Amino acid sequence: MVKKLALMAGLTAAICSASLCVAQQPAAAPTDVALAARVVQQTQKFVAANRANDPAANAPLMHEAQAMLRAAMRLDPAEPRYPRLLAEACDNAGDVDGEIAAWSAYRRLLPDDRVAQSRVIELYVGKMQTADARLAYLKDLLTKPSLAPELKAHIAALAVPLLEQRSHDEAVEMIHQARQFYPLSDVLWMEYRLLPPDATLPQRAAAILDLLRANPAQPSPLFDLAHVLSLAGMHEEAAEWYRRANTVLNLMLVGGNLQLGLEVTANLYRIGQIQTSTQLSERLVGQQLFPDSVDAWFLKLTIQKSSITPEQLRLARNVVNKGLDSIAARLKASASTPPSAPTTSPSIATTSASSPATAPSAAADPAALAALAQNAHDPALFNELVRALSDRIWLELYYANNPAAVTPMLEALKTLLPADDVTRLRLEGWYALATAHPDEARQKFTPVADKDPLSLLGLYKIEEAANNKPKAAEIGSQLLAEPTSGVLNAILFQAVKDQNYQPTTLPAASQIKTLLDQFPMDWIGLIEPIEMGKPAPATKFYTLRAEPLKVAHKVGEPLLARLTLTNVGKFDVSIGAGSAGLIEPDLWFDAQLRGIGQDTFPGIAFDRLMGRTILHPSESISQIVRVDQGKLADTLSRMPVGMLSIDADVVLDPLQSPEGVRVGPGGIFAPFSKMFVRTSDALSSDLARGKFFDAMKKAGPMEKLLDLDFLAAYVRYASSGKPEVAPDQAQAKNYLSAIQNERSNADVVVATWAGALSAELFEGAERQHVLEDMTTSPAWQTRLLGALQATQLLPPAASKPIMERLAQNDTDADVKAFAAAALDAPERPATQPTTRP
C-alpha cells in the first residue's frame, strides 16, 4: 500500500526519546503553543476536505498548508511536529528548497534524527546539476566521523549509480565500502545483483542469507533461496522456504504469483506429495489464477501424465494457440517498425501470452507466422514466436504422442533457428524418437545433452526402450541430480520416479547445508502469521507500547499519546519502506468511543516512525501522536457533556485489505495501555451556568481557550436537531454571544480563537462580517486564521476579494503566501455546515 506522511493523512506527530532529545529552545507562551496546535488541526482538516487525486490541483493546497505550518512554527518553535509536517507539505508541492529549509528547522530540534538526515542528503544530491558535484558531496560526507555507520552506508549506496556511469570497478568498490560501513538491505541487494552469471549455488545461497539476516520479511530472497535449494537437489529444505515465501506474500496481500506457484507445486510433487501437488496444479490453471499459462498447463499434464484426457489436451492446445494468435496480431502490426536492439537467444518454451483468440487460429499456418517474424524486425516478438511454436510442438510430442501434428510447425521452426540451436535439436530429437527413429534421435540429443536436461531425458528414453538398464539407470540418476526447478523439475522427476534411482550427489548441497545451519532460524520465525490469542511473532524481537500522556481531559484538550518502539531482541532491526526495512515505518490508528454515543473510528490518524533506520538491541524510539483527529475530533467537538472514554489502538506496518486494515509481515498490533477520559460538567441549570460564566470571567487565557471550546461544543450539539437537546437550543444563542464577546479579549490568542469559532458557528452576513474583521486585524495570527476560515466557510465570490486584498497588501509573509495560494486553487464550495441554533 502506498502511503503518505502525516499531513495528507491528518495526523500530527512529534518525536522525543533518550537518544533523540529535543534541543533546548526558548519557551513559547502557553497560549501560543495552544494556538499552534489549533492552527495545525485546522490546517489538516482543511487539507483533508480539499485534497484531490490530481497533483496539479493539490499543489495550491499544499502551498496554503505551508503558510499555515510556518505560522505554527512561529507560534511554537520548540515543537518538532510542525517543521516535519511542513517538510511533507513541501514535498507534496515539489518545493525542494522549502523542504530542505523545513528539515533543517526540524534537525535543529532533533539533530540526531537519521531519517531526517538521510532525507536532507538525498534532497541536496537531487539539487546538484552534475554527477561530479554529487560524487564530491557524497564522498566528503563519508569522511565525517560524526555520521552513524548505517547513514554512511546509505550515502555510499547513493554514490554507486553515479560511479557506475564512469567505472564499473569503482561502483563495485563503493558497494563493498558501503557494506563495511553497515550491511544495509539495499546495499546487500546491490551485492546480490553483482553476482556473476556463473556464480555457484553456495555463493548465491550465502548472498541470499545475508539479505534475510538484514530483513527476513522479504518474499523475493525467500523465494530465491528456495529456488537455489531446489537447484541443489535439496527439495525437502526447498519446500519449507517456498512455504515461507508464500506466507510473506499472503501477509503482504499480494495476489497469486505464477512462478512461485509453479515451483511450489513441482517441488511438492518431487518430494512425493502427489495428491497435494495434483490439487495445486488444478488450481493453477483455474479461472481465478492462471488459466492462460502454458507452464501451468504443462505442469498439470506432467503430474497427471498417466491419465491425460482428450479434453485436457484440447484445453492446453487452446491456450498455446491463443498465445500464437496474439503473437501473429502483433507481428502484423510491427512488421513496418524499425529494428530494435537485439535480445538474448530464445530459451526453452515456458511462457505464453494471454490475449483473447479469434478464429481461425494463427497456429493453422505456422509457415506464414515464421515469414512474418523474419520480416518484422522485432527480436522480442521473434523470440516469443519461437517459444510459442516450441510449446505447441512439445505439447504434441511429449503429452499427446501425436508427431503427425507437428510437421508444419517443426518445419517453420527450422526456418527460424540455426541447425545447432539447442531448442531445434531437442525438438528434432523428440520428433525422431516419436516416429521410431532412435538412432537419429540420439544423433540430435547427444551434442546438447550436457546442457539441456530435456535432451538428456530423450537419451534416457532411448536407453529405456532398448532395455539397456545400466545405462538407463546412470542417466536416470543424472536426471534426478539436474539443477532444475518448476515445470522442468516435475518433467524429469515424473519420467524416472518409479525406478527408485538415486540422484547423483551434488557437492553444493553440503556447502549450502552448512550455511543454513549457521543462519539464526529463530529470526526467520517473526514472519509467521499471527495466531488468535497469541502475541505477534515479532514481539520476541521488538515491542510497541502506546500510552496516553494523561488520562483525564477537558473539552478542547488534545488527546496525546506516546508510542515507543523497543528492540528487545539480539538482532539489529531495520526500519524503512520496502525491502529497506524489516519494520515498515507506517502507523495506523483506530479509536472507539465508549459511553455516550458509542462509535468506532477506523483510520483516524496515520504516521510514520522517525529517528532511526537501524534500531540496535535495547534501543528505543518514541513519538508523540495526537489521537483526536478526523471524524473522532469532529464527534468530540459536538459532545460537550458527560464522561466519555476513548479507547485506541495502533497497527505498525498496516496493509489495506477488503476486510479493512491488517498487520503486515513483521508488523504489530498494539492496544493503548489506558483509555482517554474526557469529562465536563453540564450547563443544565441557571446555577450551573452562573458558576461557569463567573469562572470564565476570572479565567486566564489558557483556561479561557478551553471555555470557548466548551461553549462551541454546546452550540454544535444544540444544532443537531435531536429532540432531547431542544432545551439547550434556547441557551445556545447565549453561548454563541459569549464566544463572540471574547473577540475583543486583550489576549490576541483568545481573541483570534474566539473569532475563528464565531466564524464557524455564525452564518450568512454575520459570518462574513466576522471574517472581514479577522482579515483586517492588526494581529497576523488573526488575519491568517481568518483567511483559512474564509476559504472554507465563504462562497468563492465572497472569499476571493479577501484573498486578493491579502495577497496584494498584507505585511506578513505567511498571510500573503496563503492568500496567493488560495487564489491559485480551484474553486471550492463552502465546506462548513450551518451550525447556528
Side-chain angles (χ1 to χ4, degrees):
M1 165 171 93
V2 178
K3 299 134 178 169
K4 286 291 182 183
L5 280 180
L7 181 69
M8 293 298 285
L11 173 74
T12 56
I15 304 167
C16 180
S17 72
S19 58
L20 293 171
C21 296
V22 178
Q24 292 297 316
Q25 295 288 323
T31 50
D32 283 344
V33 172
L35 183 60
R38 286 163 168 79
V39 165
V40 169
Q41 190 170 45
Q42 289 291 315
T43 302
Q44 292 174 310
K45 185 177 179 181
F46 173 63
V47 169
N50 293 289
R51 63 176 178 237
N53 293 326
D54 180 10
N58 278 330
L61 178 65
M62 291 298 104
H63 291 309
E64 290 168 288
Q66 288 174 42
M68 301 303 298
L69 292 166
R70 284 193 297 267
M73 291 168 60
R74 291 164 66 182
L75 291 165
D76 187 3
E79 176 52 71
R81 289 180 277 175
Y82 306 149
R84 180 185 164 200
L85 290 172
L86 176 59
E88 293 304 318
C90 293
D91 181 29
N92 285 311
D95 181 0
V96 175
D97 289 335
E99 186 179 353
I100 289 175
W103 284 122
S104 297
Y106 174 86
R107 291 195 60 235
R108 284 193 291 271
L109 300 172
L110 296 171
D112 196 34
D113 188 312
R114 291 167 196 172
V115 177
Q117 284 179 294
S118 177
R119 178 59 179 165
V120 170
I121 290 167
E122 292 167 356
L123 289 168
Y124 274 120
V125 169
K127 278 175 59 70
M128 295 175 181
Q129 299 299 312
T130 67
D132 287 344
R134 294 173 181 176
L135 278 171
Y137 170 66
L138 294 171
K139 287 183 175 181
D140 180 64
L141 289 175
L142 293 178
T143 66
K144 306 296 184 184
S146 60
L147 295 181
E150 59 267 28
L151 185 57
K152 285 188 174 183
H154 178 64
I155 292 166
L158 292 176
V160 169
L162 300 170
L163 288 169
E164 187 67 51
Q165 296 174 14
R166 68 185 193 189
S167 170
H168 177 72
D169 290 342
E170 286 186 62
V172 172
E173 182 181 350
M174 183 61 76
I175 292 173
H176 295 327
Q177 186 178 355
R179 180 181 179 131
Q180 290 173 358
F181 285 127
Y182 189 88
L184 290 176
S185 181
D186 288 350
V187 173
L188 295 173
W189 270 111
M190 289 180 175
E191 282 195 331
Y192 180 50
R193 291 171 181 135
L194 279 175
L195 287 174
D198 59 350
T200 66
L201 294 179
Q203 287 174 326
R204 294 190 177 279
I208 295 167
L209 289 169
D210 280 347
L211 283 168
L212 292 173
R213 282 188 181 89
N215 179 3
Q218 302 179 83
S220 293
L222 289 168
F223 172 77
D224 288 355
L225 182 59
H227 180 78
V228 166
L229 293 172
S230 179
L231 296 181
M234 303 171 69
H235 300 289
E236 295 284 351
E237 295 88 344
E240 183 59 23
W241 289 92
Y242 280 128
R243 183 194 67 78
R244 292 185 177 114
N246 194 56
T247 295
V248 173
L249 286 174
N250 287 336
L251 290 172
M252 295 174 68
L253 307 178
V254 175
N257 181 284
L258 174 60
Q259 193 59 36
L260 177 60
L262 293 171
E263 294 204 19
V264 166
T265 305
N267 194 74
L268 290 172
Y269 180 64
R270 178 68 183 260
I271 63 177
Q273 296 192 24
I274 307 299
Q275 182 177 356
T276 302
S277 59
T278 301
Q279 293 171 346
L280 288 176
S281 70
E282 292 284 0
R283 286 188 60 198
L284 285 174
V285 299
Q287 290 301 316
Q288 292 185 339
L289 289 179
F290 310 104
D292 292 337
S293 166
V294 175
D295 279 354
W297 273 99
F298 280 177
L299 183 56
K300 170 184 165 66
L301 295 176
T302 299
I303 292 174
Q304 302 180 34
K305 195 167 189 296
S306 61
S307 58
I308 295 175
T309 66
E311 176 63 11
Q312 289 174 337
L313 290 172
R314 184 188 70 81
L315 292 173
R317 287 189 187 100
N318 287 345
V319 170
V320 179
N321 290 346
K322 189 181 293 186
L324 285 167
D325 291 341
S326 173
I327 294 167
R330 290 154 59 206
L331 281 169
K332 291 174 184 177
S334 66
S336 60
T337 59
S340 58
T343 61
T344 56
S345 60
S347 60
I348 178 174
T350 55
T351 59
S352 74
S354 58
S355 301
T358 55
S361 172
D365 192 356
L369 280 179
L372 277 173
Q374 289 172 322
N375 296 321
H377 308 298
D378 189 330
L381 272 177
F382 181 96
N383 291 341
E384 285 188 48
L385 177 61
V386 168
R387 287 193 293 269
L389 286 173
S390 301
D391 283 340
R392 181 62 194 276
I393 295 168
W394 181 250
L395 172 65
E396 300 297 343
L397 292 177
Y398 191 73
Y399 297 107
N401 193 25
N402 184 20
V406 307
T407 303
M409 288 176 280
L410 191 57
E411 291 303 316
L413 195 66
K414 289 179 182 179
T415 67
L416 298 174
L417 299 176
D420 60 351
D421 181 83
V422 172
T423 300
R424 175 174 169 176
L425 287 172
R426 175 205 310 137
L427 294 175
E428 286 180 327
W430 278 95
Y431 178 78
L433 190 60
T435 54
H437 296 86
D439 292 339
E440 182 182 346
R442 187 188 302 276
Q443 183 181 5
K444 298 291 185 181
F445 290 142
T446 301
V448 293
D450 61 337
K451 54 187 174 183
D452 181 48
L454 291 179
S455 294
L456 184 63
L457 176 60
L459 292 177
Y460 171 79
K461 291 292 186 181
I462 294 172
E463 302 300 343
E464 184 184 41
N467 202 28
N468 187 351
K469 293 184 178 181
K471 187 63 176 177
E474 177 187 339
I475 299 176
S477 295
Q478 187 178 347
L479 287 170
L480 288 174
E482 282 290 311
T484 61
S485 65
V487 180
L488 186 55
N489 184 24
I491 290 173
L492 300 184
F493 177 71
Q494 188 279 329
V496 300
K497 66 182 178 65
D498 296 329
Q499 302 303 317
N500 295 318
Y501 300 141
Q502 295 301 311
T504 304
T505 302
L506 287 174
S510 61
Q511 298 177 50
I512 294 174
K513 186 178 185 306
T514 299
L515 293 171
L516 289 175
D517 289 342
Q518 296 169 351
F519 186 82
M521 293 306 298
D522 55 338
W523 183 227
I524 209 76
L526 64 78
I527 65 173
E528 295 299 325
I530 298 174
E531 297 184 35
M532 185 69 68
K534 294 184 179 181
T539 56
K540 290 174 55 180
F541 305 96
Y542 41 89
T543 60
L544 183 66
R545 180 174 175 80
E547 51 189 343
L549 294 189
K550 69 175 187 176
V551 172
H553 292 74
K554 297 179 180 179
V555 175
E557 284 189 303
L559 307 183
L560 301 176
R562 184 185 302 279
L563 263 65
T564 302
L565 180 73
T566 303
N567 185 339
V568 296
K570 59 185 179 181
F571 305 105
D572 285 356
V573 173
S574 55
I575 305 171
S579 63
L582 164 61
I583 297 179
E584 285 273 351
D586 304 310
L587 298 162
W588 174 280
F589 297 84
D590 296 330
Q592 303 82 40
L593 187 61
R594 314 295 187 192
I596 301 173
Q598 295 188 28
D599 204 350
T600 58
F601 301 90
I604 51 164
F606 178 79
D607 196 12
R608 279 189 177 175
L609 292 171
M610 293 287 291
R612 289 287 183 268
T613 56
I614 300 295
L615 198 62
H616 301 291
S618 301
E619 281 189 338
S620 296
I621 51 175
S622 295
Q623 296 189 190
I624 308 299
V625 298
R626 182 168 182 175
V627 176
D628 54 325
Q629 299 290 320
K631 291 182 178 179
L632 175 61
D634 185 64
T635 298
L636 293 176
S637 74
R638 295 172 183 273
M639 301 179 70
V641 295
M643 188 175 81
L644 302 175
S645 297
I646 301 97
D647 199 4
D649 53 66
V650 57
V651 175
L652 174 62
D653 187 13
L655 291 174
Q656 289 280 6
S657 74
E659 296 77 31
V661 167
R662 289 176 48 181
V663 179
I668 296 175
F669 169 83
F672 278 45
S673 61
K674 299 176 184 177
M675 290 188 182
F676 298 95
V677 176
R678 205 198 69 181
T679 59
S680 58
D681 295 327
L683 302 182
S684 56
S685 67
D686 290 340
L687 179 62
R689 285 187 284 273
K691 286 184 178 181
F692 174 82
F693 283 113
D694 285 343
M696 185 174 177
K697 290 177 183 177
K698 302 172 185 176
M702 282 298 296
E703 291 80 7
K704 191 154 286 190
L705 285 174
L706 297 177
D707 290 341
L708 290 172
D709 287 325
F710 182 51
L711 292 174
Y714 252 110
V715 176
R716 298 186 191 102
Y717 181 62
S719 70
S720 64
K722 298 177 181 178
E724 62 268 23
V725 301
D728 296 300
Q729 293 178 7
Q731 291 296 332
K733 291 182 180 180
N734 296 331
Y735 302 153
L736 183 51
S737 295
I739 294 172
Q740 169 81 340
N741 290 339
E742 294 298 332
R743 292 181 54 218
S744 60
N745 193 288
D747 187 284
V748 67
V749 170
V750 173
T752 298
W753 190 237
L757 292 174
S758 297
E760 174 199 334
L761 300 173
F762 277 126
E763 61 180 354
E766 292 169 301
R767 174 181 286 171
Q768 174 93 26
H769 177 71
V770 171
L771 290 172
E772 290 283 359
D773 279 356
M774 289 184 71
T775 54
T776 55
S777 168
W780 68 268
Q781 304 96 315
T782 310
R783 297 198 306 278
L784 184 60
L785 201 53
L788 176 64
Q789 295 285 73
T791 60
Q792 297 181 86
L793 303 175
L794 296 180
S799 64
K800 185 176 179 181
I802 296 175
M803 297 304 115
E804 288 176 339
R805 170 171 51 79
L806 295 175
Q808 293 173 7
N809 304 321
D810 204 274
T811 57
D812 185 87
D814 291 326
V815 176
K816 200 168 188 176
F818 178 90
L823 290 172
D824 289 338
E827 187 171 293
R828 302 164 180 153
T831 59
Q832 194 74 10
T834 298
T835 56
R836 184 169 177 182

